Amino acid sequence: MITSCLLSSLLLATVPQCASAWSGQPTTSSSPPRNTALSEDVATRRSFLAGLATASTLATVATSFPSPASADDEELIDCYFGCGCFWHVQHEFVEAERKILGRSDDQITSRAGYAGGKAGALDGKVCYHNAGNVADYGKLGHAEVVSMRIPASKFYDFAVEYCKLFDKDGFRPDQFGDRGTEYRNLVGIPGGKSSALAELLVKASVDTGDKLDFAVGKGDDRDVPKVSFIMDTSEYPSFMGEQYHQFHDGFAFGENYPNSYNSLASAFAKKGEDFGKCPNGMMGIGLGGL
């Protein structure tokens, strides 16, 4: 029997708009404080439902989506994952598309973008920070995410890749650098917490070390360490990021990807993909957010 981080307890663990020590703006503090009120809230819900989730329950969830002979034979779903800066996250999901689905470069669907804000788009736009202050994604309540279109039967595998982005303590790769609501952890799926996909997400977390707690996203959510918000994509869709943010090198020192990866953005643009009409960053350069 699985006794920690149990299924339904996490799905029902709604995080109040917690007045934690975490601010809504990125900081450079070396160590984040734990949100005690949040931890106690999740633990209480977990204890309440501890007897309800068993291995057989999880097995039932795992078979909710049949695996067809070919992933191309089934309907695709739109989903997104976020945990910090989207540059590194996009690369990892591009690799997942190649590994799990066998997709070639021109079939890759992972795109850097924005999601999770109550305001949606402003005049049809959601943009990175820019000198003109046009539809700034942070001010609209959004976080950086990577969206993709994948077979429902493979969602668990992608959820595993997401959970593997967090370290053994449940911190995302840039936890001690990029912080604030723009970098919060979130997962967008059709149906949100009511979807069987949400249960597969929790199962993936359990199977990869039980490092995360999950809460129902209500939009404009706080950045809470070790917690990922489950969003309903029908209410909180993702918005495409600018071309200069697509297939970008990672944020960490030395995290430089090959040109064959970096050039995918221009390749898709040449084929007619629309990356929006947002300004090119803070200085109009369109490179690294500038």
Side-chain angles (χ1 to χ4, degrees):
M1 176 178 292
I2 298 172
T3 58
S4 65
C5 201
L6 289 171
L7 198 63
S8 299
S9 57
L10 296 186
L11 292 177
L12 295 176
T14 55
V15 176
Q17 296 297 310
C18 48
S20 70
W22 283 64
S23 70
Q25 299 298 324
T27 67
T28 57
S29 174
S30 61
S31 60
R34 282 304 303 271
N35 188 315
T36 305
L38 172 65
S39 301
E40 291 175 350
D41 179 64
V42 173
T44 299
R45 295 172 189 274
R46 181 179 299 160
S47 300
F48 176 74
L49 292 169
L52 298 183
T54 64
S56 61
T57 300
L58 294 176
T60 300
V61 171
T63 58
S64 296
F65 294 97
S67 297
S70 170
D72 295 331
D73 296 336
E74 69 172 296
E75 183 178 356
L76 303 178
I77 61 168
D78 292 309
C79 60
Y80 57 79
F81 298 88
C83 63
C85 176
F86 47 23
W87 292 344
H88 170 78
V89 177
Q90 182 180 26
H91 177 265
E92 297 307 294
F93 278 111
V94 166
E95 293 303 305
E97 287 193 70
R98 289 170 172 161
K99 178 180 68 174
I100 298 169
L101 302 178
R103 286 177 172 169
S104 58
D105 283 353
D106 61 349
Q107 296 174 316
I108 295 298
T109 65
S110 293
R111 298 290 186 273
Y114 315 104
K118 293 179 180 179
L122 181 62
D123 297 327
K125 297 178 181 179
V126 176
C127 304
Y128 192 72
H129 309 307
N130 58 87
N133 198 29
V134 175
D136 186 295
Y137 81 101
K139 294 182 179 179
L140 293 174
H142 295 297
E144 297 185 10
V145 301
V146 174
S147 63
M148 63 207 67
R149 179 166 291 180
I150 59 175
S153 67
K154 298 298 182 181
F155 176 79
Y156 169 82
D157 301 277
F158 280 80
V160 165
E161 295 302 315
Y162 175 67
C163 294
K164 286 163 60 176
L165 292 173
F166 297 85
D167 68 16
K168 63 180 179 61
D169 296 314
F171 293 122
R172 60 177 178 259
D174 58 351
Q175 187 74 64
F176 305 111
D178 290 334
R179 289 187 284 171
T181 59
E182 297 164 1
Y183 304 103
R184 64 187 183 270
N185 309 321
L186 68 170
V187 177
I189 50 179
K193 72 178 181 65
S194 300
S195 170
L197 296 171
E199 299 184 25
L200 290 175
L201 173 63
V202 177
K203 175 174 168 28
S205 178
V206 172
D207 291 347
T208 54
D210 194 12
K211 300 172 289 188
L212 295 173
D213 284 322
F214 295 90
V216 179
K218 299 183 181 298
D220 298 355
D221 300 294
R222 297 296 185 102
D223 181 14
V224 184
K226 308 183 183 184
V227 172
S228 187
F229 294 92
I230 299 176
M231 317 299 296
D232 187 338
T233 53
S234 65
E235 186 174 1
Y236 300 100
S238 61
F239 298 90
M240 179 74 77
E242 296 83 351
Q243 181 177 334
Y244 69 85
H245 275 310
Q246 308 297 332
F247 309 102
H248 198 287
D249 286 338
F251 56 81
F253 180 77
E255 198 170 29
N256 301 321
Y257 305 128
N259 184 62
S260 58
Y261 173 81
N262 299 141
S263 63
L264 288 176
S266 59
F268 284 116
K270 288 178 181 178
K271 291 182 179 180
E273 184 163 346
D274 185 5
F275 291 104
K277 306 298 182 184
C278 288
N280 283 334
M282 291 301 294
M283 300 175 62
I285 297 175
L287 178 65
L290 299 177

